[in-house]
Amino acid sequence: METTVRLSGKPVYIVYRNDVTFYTVMRFLLLDESEKVITCTGILPSVPETDIRYNIYGNYVEHPRFGMQFQIESLEKPLPSEEEGIIRYLSGTQFPGIGKKTAEKIVKKLGESCLQIIRDNPDILKTIGLKEDKINIISEGLREEDDGLSELVRFLNVHGIGMRNLVRLNRAYGKDALRKIQENPYRVIEECDGFGFKTADRIAESLGFSKDDERRLYAYLISLCMDLCMASGDSYVMNTVLEEHFRKDLSGIEADYDALLDAALKNRRLIMEEGRIYPKSQYDAECYTASFLQMFPWFDIDPFDEELMHGYLNRMQEEYGIQYDETQINAVEKFFDYPFLIVTGGPGTGKTTLVRALVTLFKLLYPSSTVMCTAPTGRAAKRLAEVTDNQAVTVHSLLKWDLESNTFGKNEDDPIEADLLIIDEFSMVDIHLFANLLKACRRVRRICVIGDEDQLPSVSPGSVLRDLIASEQFPLVRLNHIYRQKEGSDVINLAHMIHSGEADFLKFSHDVAFFECSRFEVKENVLKIVQWALDKGYSMNDIQVLAPMYSGPCGIDVLNNALQEAFNPYDRRKKQMRVGYITFRTGDKILQLKNQPDDDVYNGDIGMLEEIYTAEETENHQPVIVVNFDGIYVEYNPDNFKNITLAYCISVHKSQGSEYPIVVMPVTYQYSIMLQRKLLYTGVTRARQSLVLLGEKGAFIKGIQTLERHVRATTLRQRIQKSMSDDVLPDS
């Protein structure tokens, strides 16, 4: 029998309610680290109030039409309890071996003052029946925290704030952390990385801060500007739009918008230019990028022998058995003539061949030089290393990014030691990351960025590749000639057809197929196609199902659940663990959702779940999941379970920077809000050998005929043009 799940959160809005039967459908914000909004259904006698915390009890179920939902069996408004916080504290990782039951026993016996009682007299724990080793663990743990940490830990637990924030708060405030948070919890948004408005507001609410507190309104204005930019991908938001959202969101609360904005501008938390409002980070990133590129390079390379270079190039063509075309040779010449080069082109246009040539020639002409290759994702970096026969790492790894402080170890004070920097899959790089990369490039003499301008832009704000090209201030090489290969030629042809907004699938007989079916038949057909590929000798790692959305009958959540049950079903010999609505099982295909630089795994990496250890099997009494990412073994505990999910089906966005032998991609009108040319182009070009599309062909055609619904608003192009000289560059 399935165990009842308890979730804690706030209703967002009611989707549907029958006042006769009381059947209710609502969207519900989970108040955990994921802060995910889920769909809940159930018989609720009264309408739950929005913005009020509730505990809901029930189970996740799969609706045949609407996908994964939480079916509510009961709902309650929990009373605030300091006891719960103390129990979470005592059963946390700082007290290894002390489980929840032991913590509950202590609190029940000694009350809410138990921590101070234990500090004064640890032997009091003997009256509860604790053994000497556990008494020592608790008393020593409390004794070691004489610097204010123990009270901070207790405060975080009481208010339901994740323990991962302890390090950040301690680093920012030291022993004064608790006092400063209690004085003004909203200060953490500006002063301590990793805290958003929702977390600060949750603390403030529990401390009794009013909704119209000026500190709250000031913090919300700054956070709102960044949230709007993150949602749109823009670098800024117009002042009129920001004010409109601000007043709408705070309806019923008196607020002096102009005074709050003036304060944010004075403190340089927001920047205003001609009615545009920038978050400080976005404004500084654009300005630094334009300034750096205007000055680059600080050190030029020695003159090269052009005749020798062409000699090496001819020798390489003989060794590799290839013939560089005029555009590729032109690219090589520009690469050595100019310090910054942009190369763009679709699949099959020779980008790989060109990159190999650039790196090889540079090493031949400058034998003592250092070449560094980088890409936004682990898989893209690995592929770049194979292509260039040169070390390649992710951008975050190259910059020695620190997860806790969100800072980069490599910067102007500790720059990258390289003469040539190659950046692949550049369409995925956002303006903030690019600016920080450039800060570490003072000693780099040549930079070459390579990307496909027709792919989706970065997840975070900015459209860097587009803006660099549009500025017309840098040499640009567009690779257009398609080099047909035995494998993947149909995929490449379809990718290039997408530009015309038409696709004739009758022309494809080998590597591309489209199976028409309704959205309700997609799941069954995906299972059949995957089984067919497995029967042909492919492995589950060779096959990647892609989908644009998570919800619905053919969304990522439903397809992942179906693929797992079909190809890695429950078996008594396999361990499994339920985390939210996901069941993790040994043998599962796993997707990494966030960068974990300390573990050398990054957003978009795919691995295999090797082992699950229950709380009873570990020393600190916490469950552990072990995932193998191509030989890199990473352990996950409850604090970072949110960083992984099933990878049988992943989003098109998460697939960027990766290629798979076989891609299976459903396309239906259900995805209408997401369907556009760049998304479908990106999904199609993930297939290295074969592509299977299924669903409604009309939806695919409509999608490739739909250009970007929103062209990102940035000012990087204008800043570059203003800062750069008017030197005329050769035609591409």
Side-chain angles (χ1 to χ4, degrees), residues 305-313 361 364-365:
D305 186 329
E306 191 169 334
E307 188 175 328
L308 181 62
M309 184 270 287
H310 281 284
Y312 283 140
L313 195 59
L361 284 172
L364 288 171
L365 290 171

Side-chain angles (χ1 to χ4, degrees), residues 577 579 584 590-596 599-603 605-613 618 620 622-629 632-645:
M577 179 187 301
V579 179
F584 289 109
I590 298 296
L591 173 69
Q592 180 74 20
L593 297 173
K594 293 186 177 181
N595 292 330
Q596 288 182 217
D599 296 309
D600 199 23
V601 292
Y602 298 89
N603 185 0
D605 286 353
I606 291 178
M608 185 69 68
L609 199 158
E610 295 278 353
E611 188 58 81
I612 292 175
Y613 297 99
T618 62
N620 63 357
Q622 285 195 323
V624 171
I625 294 174
V626 181
V627 181
N628 177 9
F629 293 94
I632 299 172
Y633 288 83
V634 181
E635 291 188 3
Y636 298 85
N637 57 43
D639 287 339
N640 56 12
F641 281 162
K642 66 183 182 302
N643 289 359
I644 56 174
T645 189

